[in-house]
Amino acid sequence: MIERTPTKRPIADQMYDVLLQQFMSGERGAGQSLNIGALSRELDVSQTPLREALARLEHTGLVEREALRGYRVAPMMTRTEVQQLMEARLLLEPKLAEQAALRKTDAFIAELREAVDEFHQSAELADIETEGFDLYWRSDDRFHMCIAAQAGNRFLEMAYGALGGQIQRFRLFSKFGRTGARRAAPEHTAIFEAIEAGDGAAAAEAMRAHVIGATERLLGD
């Protein structure tokens, strides 16, 4: 049974966090079946909040639902999927970084700096402990989402958001235990410094190098 401290947070939110943490720790691996009845007994909660949590996780791309078979943890990405995701990201993210640099504000730079600092804090621990991996995963997501939001084009932001679940899947399952965070941290810094300087072209190039580098680190293993 999962022990939970008293909280006013909805049970569905708690179950979302519990399952996500289990994915991060490797307790529930890629492709594993997620039987709602079994989960309900194991976690000592009713099936309704579990269904809500699983539906939210499905929206992120971390969980899949199959007709007549229920939910399962999303499978590992194939090499073709990884390459295609890179191609899609390269169409969007350099442009988002360029526009974010041109539209920078003090508040945006402060938030982006926090995300970069958190990512650097996670880099040494991301591959050896769950807490470090959790910080890596969340700070990386925050960094990229912050840039997308600052670009000022809601259609590009929506397009990036549509990719978000697959990018999370890329981070969480394809690279668990081998994040490459130490090598990615300087790439985040390069993107941040270009954006802070208001250099759109440099920000776009730094983002392009980062997306390619992340993909090559995965496919090179």
Side-chain angles (χ1 to χ4, degrees):
M1 179 187 301
I2 299 297
E3 295 185 4
R4 298 183 295 278
T5 56
T7 177
K8 293 182 179 180
R9 293 180 65 224
I11 295 177
D13 289 353
Q14 297 179 52
M15 291 302 99
Y16 179 95
D17 289 344
V18 166
L19 291 170
L20 180 59
Q21 193 65 32
Q22 290 179 346
F23 297 164
M24 289 180 175
S25 68
E27 184 176 342
R28 300 190 192 279
Q32 182 176 337
S33 174
L34 297 169
N35 180 276
I36 292 178
L39 286 173
S40 176
R41 292 188 294 273
E42 176 186 339
L43 302 178
D44 192 25
V45 295
S46 68
Q47 294 188 13
T48 299
L50 276 172
R51 290 182 189 280
E52 182 178 335
L54 287 168
R56 288 173 55 195
L57 286 163
E58 181 185 11
H59 183 70
T60 70
L62 301 179
V63 163
E64 293 183 352
R65 185 178 183 182
E66 298 178 308
L68 304 179
R69 300 186 64 181
Y71 290 99
R72 66 169 180 162
V73 183
M76 292 280 192
M77 279 188 161
T78 66
R79 291 182 68 89
T80 297
E81 287 178 320
V82 170
Q83 290 170 333
Q84 289 177 345
L85 178 60
M86 180 190 71
E87 292 169 2
R89 293 182 70 183
L90 288 176
L91 290 175
L92 288 173
E93 293 201 69
K95 185 65 174 179
L96 289 169
E98 176 188 15
Q99 292 302 305
L102 299 178
R103 293 170 50 84
K104 65 172 185 168
T105 64
D106 290 344
F108 163 66
I109 292 299
E111 182 177 359
L112 198 63
R113 180 182 285 111
E114 286 183 3
V116 171
D117 289 346
E118 287 179 352
F119 192 90
H120 276 270
Q121 291 171 23
S122 77
E124 295 299 318
L125 300 175
D127 293 318
I128 60 177
E129 66 177 38
T130 301
E131 292 78 7
F133 184 81
D134 187 3
L135 182 60
Y136 149 78
W137 187 83
R138 295 183 188 279
S139 60
D140 192 37
D141 184 56
R142 179 185 179 189
F143 178 79
H144 287 275
M145 290 297 293
C146 185
I147 290 171
Q150 187 63 25
N153 185 317
R154 71 185 185 94
F155 296 105
L156 287 178
E157 184 181 356
M158 288 168 61
Y160 178 77
L163 285 179
Q166 298 309 314
I167 294 172
Q168 290 178 345
R169 182 180 163 209
F170 174 91
R171 291 186 188 110
L172 189 53
F173 297 125
S174 299
K175 204 64 175 173
F176 184 76
R178 297 174 293 116
T179 64
R182 291 183 183 179
R183 292 161 65 185
E187 296 170 358
H188 276 213
T189 297
I191 296 166
F192 171 76
E193 289 177 347
I195 290 176
E196 184 180 34
D199 189 336
E205 184 54 36
M207 180 64 80
R208 178 178 178 83
H210 173 53
V211 171
I212 292 173
T215 304
E216 289 180 344
R217 284 190 287 273
L218 173 58
L219 294 179
D221 289 338

